[in-house]
Structure formats: structure tokens, C-alpha cells
């Protein structure tokens, strides 16, 4: 996710914890969390900007 571009990863239910997490939480850190948060906010801001300016129509045909 932090390298840019779209991604889709499928997980089996066996890989997901009862709390909804995936993977080993011991490798987490506040710095990694901040990087993910910043990347998500940046992409959402870009999407909102593309919607506001009509640039999204260059990538996604709507009703046409």
C-alpha cells in the first residue's frame, strides 16, 4: 500500500482473527501506523479532489 497503486489481497477466514486482524501484531509500530494513516488520507484527499474537479471522469466512465 505504501508503494502506491491499487492492490487487492484475498484472505481466507482462517487467517483472520476474531478481532478482524491479519498477521502478527508484534511487528506493528506507531511509525508504521502513521505511515499507513498518511497514505490512506492522501489517497482519499486525491479521490475527493478528482471528484470535485471532474478529473475522475478521465478514469471512470459514469453513465456513458
Amino acid at each position: 500500500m505504501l508503494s502506491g497503486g491499487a492492490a487487492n489481497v484475498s484472505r481466507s477466514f482462517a487467517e483472520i482473527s476474531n478481532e478482524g486482524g491479519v498477521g502478527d501484531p508484534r511487528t506493528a509500530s506507531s511509525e508504521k501506523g502513521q505511515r499507513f494513516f498518511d497514505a490512506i488520507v492522501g489517497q482519499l484527499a486525491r479521490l475527493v479532489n478528482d471528484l470535485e474537479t471532474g478529473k475522475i471522469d478521465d478514469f471512470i466512465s459514469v453513465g456513458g
Side-chain angles (χ1 to χ4, degrees):
M1 182 177 116
L2 296 176
S3 63
N8 184 356
V9 177
S10 297
R11 303 272 186 198
S12 71
F13 285 110
E15 295 178 275
I16 302 171
S17 74
N18 291 335
E19 292 76 27
V22 176
D24 185 352
R26 294 174 293 183
T27 63
S29 70
S30 61
E31 292 82 13
K32 287 180 183 178
Q34 187 66 54
R35 288 178 55 206
F36 277 105
F37 179 81
D38 292 343
I40 292 166
V41 169
Q43 289 297 323
L44 287 173
R46 180 176 164 199
L47 174 62
V48 169
N49 183 53
D50 287 353
L51 289 168
E52 287 181 332
T53 62
K55 289 174 59 177
I56 196 78
D57 294 336
D58 296 340
F59 303 102
I60 301 171
S61 176
V62 178

